[in-house]
């Protein structure tokens, strides 16, 4: 039990450090997003894009849209460089053809994502407590 707690604390620390690293501007050209906000969040979003954590879609980063569970899984997998995938065949809402399937499988393998009653709810907005 104690070993599991220590592992969880270490994983939490690593997640915080990885997310904090996105706040540090990196060298290189920032991605040009047509909807990049003109406020204090812009440098963080640009740094996250330059680090490969965020890619946006169709030239947009959608900074005010809800973050889905699948999107969060992709960000975590990219931050940690995960490469091993779990078997998602037991989940009813994780189609193998989905754009996020491989990253969701990696997030489940990392044990940063868990299902509930055979569902991962990848298209649902992620709640704050789930993200932490």
């Amino acid at each position: 039990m104690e070993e599991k707690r220590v592992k969880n604390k270490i994983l939490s620390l690593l997640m915080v450090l990885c997310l904090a690293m996105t706040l540090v501007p990196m060298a290189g050209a920032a991605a040009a997003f047509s909807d990049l906000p003109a406020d204090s969040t812009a440098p963080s979003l640009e740094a996250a894009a330059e680090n490969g954590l965020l890619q946006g879609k169709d030239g947009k980063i959608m900074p005010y849209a809800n973050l889905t569970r699948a999107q969060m899984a992709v960000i975590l997998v990219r931050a940690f460089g995960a490469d091993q995938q779990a078997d998602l065949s037991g989940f009813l809402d994780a189609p193998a053809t989905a754009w996020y399937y491989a990253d969701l499988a990696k997030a489940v393998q990392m044990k940063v994502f868990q299902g509930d009653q055979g569902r991962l709810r990848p298209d649902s907005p992620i709640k704050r407590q789930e993200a932490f």
Side-chain angles (χ1 to χ4, degrees):
M1 183 73 161
E2 182 66 29
E3 183 178 322
K4 185 176 181 179
R5 263 215 229 121
V6 171
K7 284 183 182 179
N8 285 342
K9 285 183 180 181
I10 290 172
L11 181 59
S12 296
L13 260 173
L14 286 172
M15 287 175 55
V16 168
L17 288 174
C18 286
L19 292 173
M21 286 177 15
T22 65
L23 298 175
V24 179
M26 297 298 213
F33 296 107
S34 62
D35 60 345
L36 192 65
D39 61 22
S40 62
T41 63
S44 298
L45 291 169
E46 289 173 332
E50 288 172 1
N51 290 328
L53 295 178
L54 301 178
Q55 292 180 344
K57 182 178 178 185
D58 299 327
K60 295 185 178 189
I61 200 156
M62 299 173 283
Y64 302 110
N66 287 329
L67 187 69
T68 67
R69 290 173 50 83
Q71 291 167 330
M72 184 65 175
V74 171
I75 291 169
L76 288 172
V77 165
R78 289 177 185 166
F80 286 100
D83 59 359
Q84 295 182 359
Q85 297 183 22
D87 177 15
L88 299 184
S89 62
F91 295 102
L92 304 170
D93 57 353
T97 57
W99 67 269
Y100 51 74
Y101 183 84
D103 290 311
L104 195 58
K106 292 173 187 175
V108 169
Q109 179 67 30
M110 291 172 55
K111 299 187 184 333
V112 295
F113 264 70
Q114 298 176 355
D116 183 34
Q117 299 178 351
R119 299 191 182 279
L120 286 166
R121 299 179 290 113
D123 297 316
S124 296
I126 193 162
K127 297 175 185 169
R128 184 176 293 213
Q129 63 268 28
E130 292 173 324
F132 283 102

Short mmCIF file of all heavy atoms in Angstrom, two decimals, residues 1-34:
data_model
loop_
_atom_site.label_atom_id
_atom_site.label_comp_id
_atom_site.label_asym_id
_atom_site.label_seq_id
_atom_site.Cartn_x
_atom_site.Cartn_y
_atom_site.Cartn_z
N MET A 1 0.82 -1.19 0.00
CA MET A 1 0.00 0.00 0.00
C MET A 1 0.87 1.25 0.00
O MET A 1 0.60 2.17 -0.73
CB MET A 1 -0.93 -0.05 1.22
CG MET A 1 -1.88 1.08 1.29
SD MET A 1 -3.15 0.88 0.03
CE MET A 1 -4.38 1.93 0.66
N GLU A 2 1.90 1.25 0.85
CA GLU A 2 2.80 2.39 0.94
C GLU A 2 3.55 2.60 -0.37
O GLU A 2 3.74 3.73 -0.81
CB GLU A 2 3.79 2.19 2.10
CG GLU A 2 4.73 3.36 2.31
CD GLU A 2 4.00 4.63 2.76
OE1 GLU A 2 2.95 4.54 3.41
OE2 GLU A 2 4.49 5.71 2.43
N GLU A 3 3.95 1.51 -1.00
CA GLU A 3 4.68 1.60 -2.27
C GLU A 3 3.80 2.23 -3.35
O GLU A 3 4.27 3.04 -4.14
CB GLU A 3 5.12 0.20 -2.72
CG GLU A 3 5.95 0.22 -3.98
CD GLU A 3 6.41 -1.17 -4.38
OE1 GLU A 3 6.75 -1.96 -3.49
OE2 GLU A 3 6.42 -1.43 -5.59
N LYS A 4 2.52 1.89 -3.36
CA LYS A 4 1.59 2.46 -4.32
C LYS A 4 1.44 3.96 -4.10
O LYS A 4 1.40 4.74 -5.04
CB LYS A 4 0.24 1.77 -4.22
CG LYS A 4 -0.74 2.23 -5.28
CD LYS A 4 -2.03 1.45 -5.20
CE LYS A 4 -2.97 1.93 -6.30
NZ LYS A 4 -4.21 1.17 -6.28
N ARG A 5 1.38 4.38 -2.83
CA ARG A 5 1.27 5.80 -2.50
C ARG A 5 2.49 6.57 -2.98
O ARG A 5 2.37 7.66 -3.53
CB ARG A 5 1.11 5.98 -0.99
CG ARG A 5 -0.33 6.15 -0.59
CD ARG A 5 -0.38 7.10 0.56
NE ARG A 5 -1.13 6.73 1.70
CZ ARG A 5 -0.67 6.61 2.93
NH1 ARG A 5 0.57 6.68 3.19
NH2 ARG A 5 -1.45 6.38 3.93
N VAL A 6 3.66 5.98 -2.77
CA VAL A 6 4.91 6.63 -3.21
C VAL A 6 4.92 6.76 -4.72
O VAL A 6 5.27 7.81 -5.26
CB VAL A 6 6.14 5.84 -2.69
CG1 VAL A 6 7.41 6.36 -3.32
CG2 VAL A 6 6.22 5.92 -1.18
N LYS A 7 4.52 5.69 -5.43
CA LYS A 7 4.47 5.74 -6.89
C LYS A 7 3.50 6.82 -7.37
O LYS A 7 3.79 7.55 -8.30
CB LYS A 7 4.07 4.39 -7.46
CG LYS A 7 5.17 3.37 -7.44
CD LYS A 7 4.72 2.07 -8.08
CE LYS A 7 5.80 1.02 -8.01
NZ LYS A 7 5.36 -0.25 -8.61
N ASN A 8 2.34 6.91 -6.72
CA ASN A 8 1.36 7.93 -7.09
C ASN A 8 1.89 9.33 -6.86
O ASN A 8 1.67 10.23 -7.67
CB ASN A 8 0.05 7.72 -6.33
CG ASN A 8 -0.75 6.56 -6.85
OD1 ASN A 8 -0.53 6.10 -7.96
ND2 ASN A 8 -1.67 6.08 -6.05
N LYS A 9 2.61 9.53 -5.76
CA LYS A 9 3.19 10.85 -5.48
C LYS A 9 4.25 11.20 -6.51
O LYS A 9 4.32 12.33 -6.99
CB LYS A 9 3.79 10.89 -4.08
CG LYS A 9 2.75 10.97 -2.98
CD LYS A 9 3.40 11.07 -1.62
CE LYS A 9 2.34 11.15 -0.54
NZ LYS A 9 2.92 11.28 0.79
N ILE A 10 5.07 10.24 -6.87
CA ILE A 10 6.11 10.48 -7.88
C ILE A 10 5.48 10.81 -9.22
O ILE A 10 5.89 11.75 -9.90
CB ILE A 10 7.07 9.28 -7.97
CG1 ILE A 10 7.91 9.18 -6.70
CG2 ILE A 10 7.97 9.38 -9.20
CD1 ILE A 10 8.75 7.93 -6.59
N LEU A 11 4.46 10.04 -9.61
CA LEU A 11 3.77 10.30 -10.87
C LEU A 11 3.13 11.68 -10.85
O LEU A 11 3.23 12.42 -11.83
CB LEU A 11 2.72 9.23 -11.13
CG LEU A 11 1.94 9.37 -12.42
CD1 LEU A 11 2.87 9.34 -13.63
CD2 LEU A 11 0.90 8.27 -12.54
N SER A 12 2.52 12.06 -9.74
CA SER A 12 1.92 13.39 -9.64
C SER A 12 2.96 14.48 -9.78
O SER A 12 2.75 15.48 -10.48
CB SER A 12 1.21 13.54 -8.30
OG SER A 12 0.14 12.66 -8.21
N LEU A 13 4.10 14.30 -9.13
CA LEU A 13 5.18 15.28 -9.24
C LEU A 13 5.68 15.40 -10.67
O LEU A 13 5.92 16.50 -11.17
CB LEU A 13 6.35 14.87 -8.34
CG LEU A 13 6.44 15.59 -7.02
CD1 LEU A 13 7.53 14.98 -6.15
CD2 LEU A 13 6.67 17.06 -7.19
N LEU A 14 5.86 14.27 -11.34
CA LEU A 14 6.32 14.28 -12.72
C LEU A 14 5.32 15.00 -13.63
O LEU A 14 5.72 15.76 -14.51
CB LEU A 14 6.56 12.86 -13.23
CG LEU A 14 7.81 12.18 -12.71
CD1 LEU A 14 7.84 10.72 -13.14
CD2 LEU A 14 9.05 12.89 -13.19
N MET A 15 4.03 14.76 -13.40
CA MET A 15 3.01 15.43 -14.21
C MET A 15 3.06 16.94 -14.00
O MET A 15 3.00 17.70 -14.96
CB MET A 15 1.63 14.88 -13.86
CG MET A 15 1.37 13.49 -14.39
SD MET A 15 -0.20 12.78 -13.89
CE MET A 15 -1.37 14.01 -14.42
N VAL A 16 3.20 17.35 -12.76
CA VAL A 16 3.28 18.79 -12.48
C VAL A 16 4.50 19.39 -13.14
O VAL A 16 4.43 20.46 -13.75
CB VAL A 16 3.27 19.04 -10.95
CG1 VAL A 16 3.64 20.47 -10.63
CG2 VAL A 16 1.92 18.70 -10.37
N LEU A 17 5.64 18.71 -13.04
CA LEU A 17 6.86 19.22 -13.66
C LEU A 17 6.73 19.32 -15.18
O LEU A 17 7.14 20.32 -15.77
CB LEU A 17 8.06 18.34 -13.30
CG LEU A 17 8.54 18.45 -11.86
CD1 LEU A 17 9.62 17.41 -11.58
CD2 LEU A 17 9.07 19.85 -11.58
N CYS A 18 6.15 18.30 -15.78
CA CYS A 18 5.98 18.33 -17.24
C CYS A 18 5.05 19.46 -17.67
O CYS A 18 5.31 20.16 -18.64
CB CYS A 18 5.45 16.99 -17.74
SG CYS A 18 6.69 15.70 -17.73
N LEU A 19 3.97 19.64 -16.93
CA LEU A 19 3.06 20.72 -17.27
C LEU A 19 3.69 22.08 -17.01
O LEU A 19 3.48 23.03 -17.76
CB LEU A 19 1.75 20.56 -16.51
CG LEU A 19 0.91 19.36 -16.92
CD1 LEU A 19 -0.29 19.20 -15.99
CD2 LEU A 19 0.44 19.47 -18.34
N ALA A 20 4.48 22.18 -15.95
CA ALA A 20 5.15 23.45 -15.65
C ALA A 20 6.18 23.79 -16.72
O ALA A 20 6.40 24.97 -17.02
CB ALA A 20 5.81 23.38 -14.28
N MET A 21 6.80 22.78 -17.30
CA MET A 21 7.80 23.03 -18.35
C MET A 21 7.19 23.70 -19.56
O MET A 21 7.87 24.40 -20.29
CB MET A 21 8.49 21.72 -18.76
CG MET A 21 9.47 21.24 -17.72
SD MET A 21 10.29 19.67 -18.07
CE MET A 21 10.02 19.34 -19.76
N THR A 22 5.89 23.52 -19.77
CA THR A 22 5.25 24.15 -20.91
C THR A 22 5.13 25.66 -20.72
O THR A 22 4.87 26.38 -21.67
CB THR A 22 3.85 23.57 -21.18
OG1 THR A 22 3.00 23.87 -20.07
CG2 THR A 22 3.91 22.08 -21.41
N LEU A 23 5.34 26.13 -19.50
CA LEU A 23 5.26 27.56 -19.25
C LEU A 23 6.54 28.28 -19.63
O LEU A 23 6.55 29.49 -19.78
CB LEU A 23 4.96 27.81 -17.77
CG LEU A 23 3.63 27.25 -17.27
CD1 LEU A 23 3.52 27.47 -15.76
CD2 LEU A 23 2.47 27.86 -18.00
N VAL A 24 7.63 27.53 -19.80
CA VAL A 24 8.90 28.13 -20.16
C VAL A 24 8.98 28.24 -21.67
O VAL A 24 8.89 27.24 -22.38
CB VAL A 24 10.08 27.26 -19.64
CG1 VAL A 24 11.41 27.85 -20.04
CG2 VAL A 24 9.98 27.10 -18.14
N PRO A 25 9.14 29.44 -22.21
CA PRO A 25 9.22 29.59 -23.65
C PRO A 25 10.44 28.86 -24.21
O PRO A 25 11.52 28.91 -23.65
CB PRO A 25 9.36 31.10 -23.86
CG PRO A 25 8.94 31.72 -22.58
CD PRO A 25 9.19 30.71 -21.51
N MET A 26 10.24 28.16 -25.30
CA MET A 26 11.31 27.45 -25.97
C MET A 26 11.70 28.22 -27.24
O MET A 26 10.91 28.97 -27.78
CB MET A 26 10.87 26.03 -26.35
CG MET A 26 10.55 25.20 -25.14
SD MET A 26 12.02 25.02 -24.14
CE MET A 26 11.79 23.42 -23.48
N ALA A 27 12.90 27.94 -27.70
CA ALA A 27 13.37 28.59 -28.93
C ALA A 27 12.59 28.03 -30.11
O ALA A 27 12.16 26.91 -30.13
CB ALA A 27 14.85 28.34 -29.10
N GLY A 28 12.45 28.84 -31.14
CA GLY A 28 11.76 28.39 -32.34
C GLY A 28 10.52 29.22 -32.58
O GLY A 28 10.05 29.94 -31.72
N ALA A 29 9.99 29.06 -33.76
CA ALA A 29 8.81 29.82 -34.13
C ALA A 29 7.58 29.21 -33.49
O ALA A 29 7.41 28.01 -33.46
CB ALA A 29 8.66 29.83 -35.64
N ALA A 30 6.72 30.06 -32.98
CA ALA A 30 5.48 29.59 -32.38
C ALA A 30 4.50 29.20 -33.48
O ALA A 30 4.51 29.77 -34.57
CB ALA A 30 4.87 30.69 -31.52
N ALA A 31 3.69 28.22 -33.18
CA ALA A 31 2.66 27.82 -34.13
C ALA A 31 1.70 28.99 -34.33
O ALA A 31 1.38 29.71 -33.40
CB ALA A 31 1.92 26.60 -33.60
N ALA A 32 1.27 29.18 -35.55
CA ALA A 32 0.36 30.28 -35.85
C ALA A 32 -1.07 29.76 -35.79
O ALA A 32 -1.53 29.09 -36.70
CB ALA A 32 0.66 30.84 -37.23
N PHE A 33 -1.76 30.06 -34.69
CA PHE A 33 -3.14 29.66 -34.53
C PHE A 33 -4.01 30.89 -34.70
O PHE A 33 -3.75 31.92 -34.08
CB PHE A 33 -3.37 29.04 -33.15
CG PHE A 33 -2.61 27.76 -32.93
CD1 PHE A 33 -1.52 27.73 -32.09
CD2 PHE A 33 -2.98 26.60 -33.60
CE1 PHE A 33 -0.81 26.55 -31.89
CE2 PHE A 33 -2.28 25.42 -33.41
CZ PHE A 33 -1.19 25.39 -32.56
N SER A 34 -5.03 30.78 -35.51
CA SER A 34 -5.87 31.94 -35.78
C SER A 34 -6.70 32.36 -34.57
O SER A 34 -7.16 33.50 -34.51
CB SER A 34 -6.81 31.65 -36.96
OG SER A 34 -7.67 30.57 -36.66
#
